[in-house]
Amino acid sequence: MKALLLAMTFLFATSLYAQEGTQTIRGTIRDEVSKSPVIGASILLVREAGTSPVGAVTDLRGEFSIPGVPVGRQSFQITTVGYEPQRLSNIVVTAGKEVVLNVTMTEAVENLNEVAITADRKSDKSKTNNELSLVSGRSFNVDDTKRYAGALGDPSRMAANFAGVVSGDDSRNDIVVRGNSPSGTLWQLEGLNIPNPNHFGSFAATGGPVSMLNNNVLGKSDFLTGAFPAQYGNALAAVFDLQLREGNNQKHELMGQVGFNGFELGAEGPFSRNSKSSFLLNYRYSTLGLFKALGLQFGTGTAIPDYQDLNFKVAVPTGNKGKLTFFGITGSSDVNFLGNEVDTTLSNMYGTENTNTRVKYGTNIFGLAYEHNLTAKTFAKLTLGMSTTRERFSGDSISNPAREAFLSGEAKYNTSKYSAVLNVRHKMNAKSSLYGGITVDVLDFDLYSRSIYQGGKIDTVRANVSGENTVLTQAYGQWKYRLSQGLIFTTGIHFQHYNLNNNVAVEPRAGLQYVFGKGQSVSVGYGLNSQAQNIYTYFVQTPDESGPVRTNKDLGFTKSHHFVFSYQNRLTENLLLKIEPYYQKLYNVPVEQRASTYSALNMGASFGPSDRDSLVNEGSGHNMGVELTLEKYFNKGYYFLLTTSFFDSKYKGSDKVERNTAFNTKYVLNVLGGKEFRLGNNNVLSANIKTSLVGGKYITPLNLAASRARGVAVYDENRAYSFRQSAYFRTDIRFSYRREMRRSTMEFSMDLQNVTARKNIFQQTYNPRTNELVNQYQQPFFPVPYFRYTF
């Protein structure tokens, strides 16, 4: 830590003599649908009246370059004949890194009497990369993951600020979207369906304590929460459609960073001086060991979580019309929680004094993509990918009062997925466009899980399968028709087939948007969505005299109807109001054959997969609510974001009684804001704050008498999800400082998490040593420093 402070002091001292810096702005402009280069587009730096114009014009590749742009926040206007004008606002220009913009333009449907500068998808968060998303979608970028207090550079933690999204768990980044289970979220990377991209991301989960996705590598990406376009399938709750940016293909750039997520080193640049090819890579290693040495508690007691990851992307142009990219994420993590080492005077969100837990994870994701402009109006992209996951778990129960450890369970999960994705888009004319594609995912898997009782005397094998494989095939077609400049209609079909049990789903999707007045619009969306169960669920074993039976093997897809209405009002150029009521009807939900309170809609409330057997698709549920967003985009040195949701999430198990789901917190309110202060030409100081209020979760209460009699936690299932915890409240503050030098940029920040030290409840458990019910609490006040240097 002393070395870090000395380095920062030296950098600051030497920077005092730096001159005001400038930087080069480069990029490519392409047609929104066909991806063909837009030739002759004018890009003009917005400057004060009376100053000389600065700008550029795109060449035959659609590329442009503007050297000598002053550092700071800059805005640009883009115009060309036949396309809707656009404006890029508040682009952050730093001395340490060139700005590379990849912009898409929309062909004008009709000639306008007056020119209106409209926000481009690059800078307008209400516009997604996917132009077919008319409702329940927004974009996010690297600046958001860095700016928002408490986000820690994590896309999931950042998305928890959006309307309809609930986190309320300081230990993990799983998110609940509109009352759905976290397991209903689809993760995509460059078009590939990928496994859980988080360290310590237990099997069957979609989150974890630390993201493997590095915000230094991510480009502008989409987050969708309902009525998805037809290209997305096998998801009920949300879609993260992630894109990796390309490295600088003209200049080598380096980055060093230290923060909560790890020690990081990054590099990017061209392969040679005359090459248009580029590479981008970022390596990270965990810093939690350092925090422990400094005496900072982060909820893991004496255990030291260890993890590392590598993100990369290589881009190679193939002539004027094609490009080959190779990308990937690889990471590993492990930690041991030993019950005899747990400090019972401190809260611990992972381990307990009565168990030992040892876990090890590994995730690898690799993809190779080739895209090509087949004609001036037709674009195709083929992506081949492979992803693997590995999880090892073993646990002990610790006896009382002898404190001896006995093996209580073990699990080994291995998966390998091989994917092929083809997407084609064709622009018939300015009004009509066609989209289609097919995805084939081949999954190989080995699954083993065993529970052990009475000090090793009795065991039960929950799952035991090796060398199995299955195929999920998905296809879609979608049509977009622009009836006029302000009226858009989309319709499509998504198809999927699961060869494990020959399940088939055909899902219609539709959307309509009408833009009127000065920046107002109304939109409606509908979609039928289907999702296969986690692969573990199909292979849970039921004990039988003749041998174990896989009674879940024939489970069908869980299905849901999405209905969404959306109203948006651009109150000013930088102020957006959005209101979205929605209704989701879920059916074909797995429940037990016998009458019980169990439903697969509550999966994801715990970290591991469910061992329930004898399941049938006879359950149901619904989610309904209304969301409000008021967002002031960053302008004139400040921004704010207010989101609130009021919703109701219910389910019916096989007992046919309607109950709250595990995720029915009823309401959530997020208030964020930030302000930048310029200190001279080269210094920027900023302050950001976030406050969240989330309704209490419904839980199944413990039966204390039964727990004492059996020596383990026993829950009163007849009262499932009937007891409500207290509300969750947390405030985070982030201070940051950025110093621009002649050819480099230095950034330092401090995140002060849970500044009020609010004791938010994590869970209620039974302690067999004390024979009492115990409340475990979430993260206390926790400071997180961050330092970054780019050059």
Side-chain angles (χ1 to χ4, degrees), residues 363-411:
T363 301
N364 301 290
I365 303 167
F366 302 104
L368 180 67
Y370 178 68
E371 59 185 64
H372 195 86
N373 289 100
L374 302 177
T375 69
K377 293 183 176 293
T378 306
F379 172 84
K381 182 178 181 180
L382 174 65
T383 307
L384 304 177
M386 181 188 75
S387 59
T388 64
T389 66
R390 182 187 74 255
E391 179 179 343
R392 299 289 184 270
F393 161 83
S394 66
D396 303 328
S397 59
I398 298 176
S399 64
N400 287 304
R403 307 300 291 167
E404 294 182 75
F406 296 92
L407 186 65
S408 60
E410 58 181 347

Side-chain angles (χ1 to χ4, degrees), residues 456-471:
K457 298 177 182 179
I458 302 175
D459 73 342
T460 301
V461 176
R462 303 294 188 181
N464 187 10
V465 55
S466 178
E468 294 274 356
N469 63 77
T470 186
V471 181

Side-chain angles (χ1 to χ4, degrees), residues 48 62-63 188 202 206 214 279 284 345 354 361 391 400 440 443 470 484 503 513 597 663 694 732 737 763 778 783:
E48 295 180 359
E63 298 176 352
Q188 281 196 348
S202 57
T206 57
N214 194 295
F279 69 89
R284 171 174 54 188
T345 65
N354 301 300
Y361 304 90
E391 179 179 343
N400 287 304
V440 179
L443 182 69
T470 186
S484 67
N503 267 299
Q513 182 179 78
T597 63
F663 313 107
V694 181
D732 300 328
Y737 167 78
Q763 64 180 359
Q778 304 206 49

Side-chain angles (χ1 to χ4, degrees), residues 457-700:
K457 298 177 182 179
I458 302 175
D459 73 342
T460 301
V461 176
R462 303 294 188 181
N464 187 10
V465 55
S466 178
E468 294 274 356
N469 63 77
T470 186
V471 181
L472 178 64
T473 303
Q474 301 179 72
Y476 76 96
Q478 191 149 353
W479 176 48
K480 177 181 178 180
Y481 187 69
R482 303 173 66 199
L483 290 85
S484 67
Q485 196 78 15
L487 186 59
I488 301 174
F489 172 71
T490 67
T491 185
I493 290 287
H494 182 272
F495 165 87
Q496 63 186 42
H497 173 263
Y498 202 28
N499 85 326
L500 180 71
N501 47 25
N502 210 32
N503 267 299
V504 174
V506 179
E507 306 162 356
R509 313 282 176 86
L512 181 68
Q513 182 179 78
Y514 176 57
V515 180
F516 61 96
K518 294 184 178 180
Q520 297 187 71
S521 69
V522 292
S523 306
V524 292
Y526 165 76
L528 173 62
N529 296 80
S530 306
Q531 185 176 30
Q533 314 308 318
N534 178 270
I535 191 64
Y536 180 90
T537 301
Y538 294 102
F539 289 91
V540 172
Q541 298 182 164
T542 303
D544 188 81
E545 294 181 357
S546 59
V549 181
R550 293 167 181 165
T551 51
N552 295 342
K553 191 71 177 290
D554 294 326
L555 280 173
F557 297 128
T558 300
K559 297 177 177 290
S560 73
H561 294 285
H562 288 233
F563 302 90
V564 182
F565 173 83
S566 180
Y567 169 74
Q568 290 191 90
N569 190 339
R570 187 64 67 109
L571 301 173
T572 68
E573 180 183 351
N574 296 293
L575 183 61
L576 176 71
L577 172 67
K578 182 177 180 180
I579 301 173
E580 256 190 16
Y582 65 88
Y583 177 78
Q584 182 184 13
K585 175 64 177 177
L586 298 113
Y587 61 103
N588 280 11
V589 179
V591 295
E592 292 183 304
Q593 290 182 1
R594 66 179 181 87
S596 77
T597 63
Y598 172 82
S599 171
L601 294 183
N602 295 313
M603 288 184 63
S606 60
F607 298 156
S610 171
D611 290 323
R612 301 286 181 133
D613 61 3
S614 304
L615 301 180
V616 292
N617 292 100
E618 296 180 1
S620 62
H622 73 259
N623 300 308
M624 59 189 301
V626 61
E627 303 164 359
L628 182 145
T629 299
L630 181 63
E631 182 167 13
K632 164 69 167 57
Y633 298 161
F634 193 98
N635 182 252
K636 295 183 179 179
Y638 75 99
Y639 76 94
F640 65 79
L641 172 64
L642 184 151
T643 64
T644 186
S645 306
F646 298 93
F647 64 95
D648 190 40
S649 178
K650 295 291 177 62
Y651 82 97
K652 288 184 181 179
S654 53
D655 63 357
K656 306 303 180 183
V657 176
E658 186 174 71
R659 292 181 169 84
N660 298 295
T661 69
F663 313 107
N664 193 18
T665 60
K666 297 290 188 179
Y667 64 88
V668 58
L669 171 67
N670 295 300
V671 180
L672 299 85
K675 172 70 175 176
E676 277 191 1
F677 305 89
R678 292 197 65 86
L679 308 176
N681 293 326
N682 299 322
N683 301 279
V684 178
L685 182 68
S686 65
N688 300 270
I689 187 171
K690 169 193 172 182
T691 294
S692 295
L693 176 65
V694 181
K697 295 180 180 179
Y698 285 94
I699 64 172
T700 301

